[in-house]
Amino acid sequence: MRTRITEDIQEAAGFIRSGELVAFPTETVYGLGADATNEQAVLKAFEAKARPMDNPVIVHIADFSDLTGVAQSMSDSAMALMESFFPGPLTLILDRHPGISDVVSAGLPTVGVRMPMHELALKLIRTAGQPIAAPSANLSGRPSPTTWQAVREDLDGKIACILKGERTPVGLESTVVDCAREVPVVLRSGSITLEQLRSVVPDTKVADVDRDLLAPHSPGLRHRHYAPHARVVLIDDTESIGAPEKSAYIGLIKVDNPGSLLICEHVADLEDYAYRLFEFFRECDRFGAETVYCHRVPLEGFGVALMDRLERAARG
Ligand code: TXA
Ligand code: MG
């Protein structure tokens, strides 16, 4: 298949309507979109990414009225979180409407719903006239793509279309909160922080690794996460950068003598770190880095999501 790269929303929406896959930008990362009401189309997304079938995908909506055919019986806390954070980098797990196929939810009675805060994403959903089911637009096991070129690197020839946009402004995937339980539980950290969630629903919890994350209702978190081919080492200071041969660095502290490093990314703050991290990992693979040093950040606010991605990468 020849992958069409376009900036034309009408053309991209046409592919969605005819059951084909379209990668598109959101504020977090690029998604690989399929008509959420078309089971065959959603199956194509699993196939193109080589994604395990037991890992459900998020349904993206553009307007609150789209919720009707996607989710049902929403709790008061779910409503409150939506009111505060939709549109934005937040995914809520809700009771699934029967109109959404089993394939989207990997057989769970729930569905992940997100209203992205990105003009192109919202226009694509509205023009297609259907909610769009979309995992991140990477091959399974690779970092989520933050540029259209990264999408092409992974999926060229496997999908109908890439809706070309700018680099995604956040750079990390959305915060996932399970609202199908008694109190909301954070399943995946993201740029909407625990503090922000608790300012709206004070008893919001963080998932307990054994009880919540290994349970069947949060399947994605069991799967292996992306790590570069290189060994990832988390460091607290730049003196820990040993053997710089075929090494790369990313972090808040400036390296005095970056000369021997393949890549040296000095980031301005946590937001900048998140913005650059996944593309940095891809760059490390392209350059054949063997050791990748990543500077740790404090486990508070947005730092929690960043450390989550860094620790997963370091675990390999
Ligand atoms: O920012 C994002 O969330 C991006 C953009 C494209 O929206 N999407 C994304 O999708 O990261 P994906 O498929 O890479 O990650 C979705 C996560 C997975 O961990 C999946 O298991 C979880 O959300 N998820 C989806 N539906 C779920 C459900 N019904 N119950 C529990 N977890 C669910
Ligand atoms: Mg993903």
Side-chain angles (χ1 to χ4, degrees):
M1 170 189 309
R2 217 189 116 92
T3 300
R4 173 95 180 115
I5 296 170
T6 185
E7 293 181 48
D8 181 346
I9 300 267
Q10 290 292 343
E11 186 184 13
F15 282 115
I16 296 280
R17 279 196 299 265
S18 55
E20 298 297 334
L21 301 178
V22 176
F24 64 99
T26 78
E27 77 278 32
T28 57
V29 299
Y30 274 74
L32 180 59
D35 176 349
T37 64
N38 180 340
E39 191 171 277
Q40 291 307 314
V42 179
L43 278 168
K44 287 183 189 171
F46 281 87
E47 199 182 320
K49 280 182 60 99
R51 181 183 180 97
M53 292 296 297
D54 64 349
N55 193 3
V57 302
I58 297 167
V59 174
H60 296 70
I61 59 172
D63 298 283
F64 283 98
S65 57
D66 298 342
L67 274 170
T68 326
V70 175
Q72 54 191 7
S73 60
M74 283 159 277
S75 64
D76 290 346
S77 17
M79 302 291 279
L81 291 175
M82 277 189 248
E83 225 163 86
S84 302
F85 301 112
F86 276 17
L90 178 69
T91 296
L92 297 184
I93 308 302
L94 304 169
D95 286 331
R96 173 163 60 109
H97 185 278
I100 295 295
S101 125
D102 258 359
V103 176
V104 171
S105 289
L108 295 172
T110 55
V111 60
V113 183
R114 170 160 126 75
M115 188 189 288
M117 188 165 37
H118 193 289
E119 210 188 301
L120 290 181
L122 294 171
K123 276 191 182 155
L124 179 68
I125 300 164
R126 289 188 185 124
T127 312
Q130 294 293 355
I132 293 184
S136 50
N138 50 284
L139 282 176
S140 203
R142 301 217 70 216
S144 295
T146 56
T147 64
W148 69 265
Q149 292 94 333
V151 176
R152 187 176 58 182
E153 185 174 73
D154 279 13
L155 298 174
D156 192 26
K158 297 190 162 118
I159 63 177
C161 178
I162 298 173
L163 177 62
K164 192 171 153 185
E166 303 281 307
R167 186 161 172 176
T168 55
V170 175
L172 296 188
E173 306 89 345
S174 63
T175 306
V176 178
V177 179
D178 189 347
C179 286
R181 309 194 213 179
E182 250 157 65
V183 297
V185 176
V186 179
L187 299 179
R188 178 174 77 185
S189 54
S191 65
I192 302 288
T193 64
L194 183 63
E195 292 80 359
Q196 284 175 289
L197 296 166
R198 282 188 175 157
S199 74
V200 178
V201 181
D203 48 3
T204 302
K205 289 196 311 175
V206 178
D208 175 291
V209 175
D210 299 324
R211 206 188 51 232
D212 300 312
L213 297 189
L214 300 177
H217 46 246
S218 43
L221 301 146
R222 276 198 313 265
H223 291 287
R224 205 188 136 270
H225 209 259
Y226 174 74
H229 298 305
R231 185 171 64 105
V232 175
V233 182
L234 305 187
I235 56 174
D236 293 305
D237 52 62
T238 52
E239 281 84 74
S240 317
I241 301 181
E245 183 146 332
K246 295 203 175 160
S247 297
Y249 166 81
I250 188 167
L252 286 155
I253 299 179
K254 206 166 177 171
V255 176
D256 290 334
N257 182 13
S260 49
L261 289 167
L262 284 176
I263 309 162
C264 184
E265 295 252 329
H266 174 221
V267 302
D269 50 32
L270 295 186
E271 282 70 28
D272 190 36
Y273 203 155
Y275 176 72
R276 298 210 221 172
L277 183 67
F278 288 159
E279 191 51 31
F280 166 77
F281 280 156
R282 283 180 178 264
E283 200 65 7
C284 288
D285 283 348
R286 290 182 201 121
F287 276 83
E290 284 173 6
T291 312
V292 174
Y293 295 98
C294 302
H295 188 202
R296 278 203 184 82
V297 298
L299 266 179
E300 54 198 39
F302 193 21
V304 175
L306 245 177
M307 278 309 292
D308 170 72
R309 306 308 190 274
L310 290 174
E311 271 165 359
R312 287 168 193 268
R315 252 181 268 139

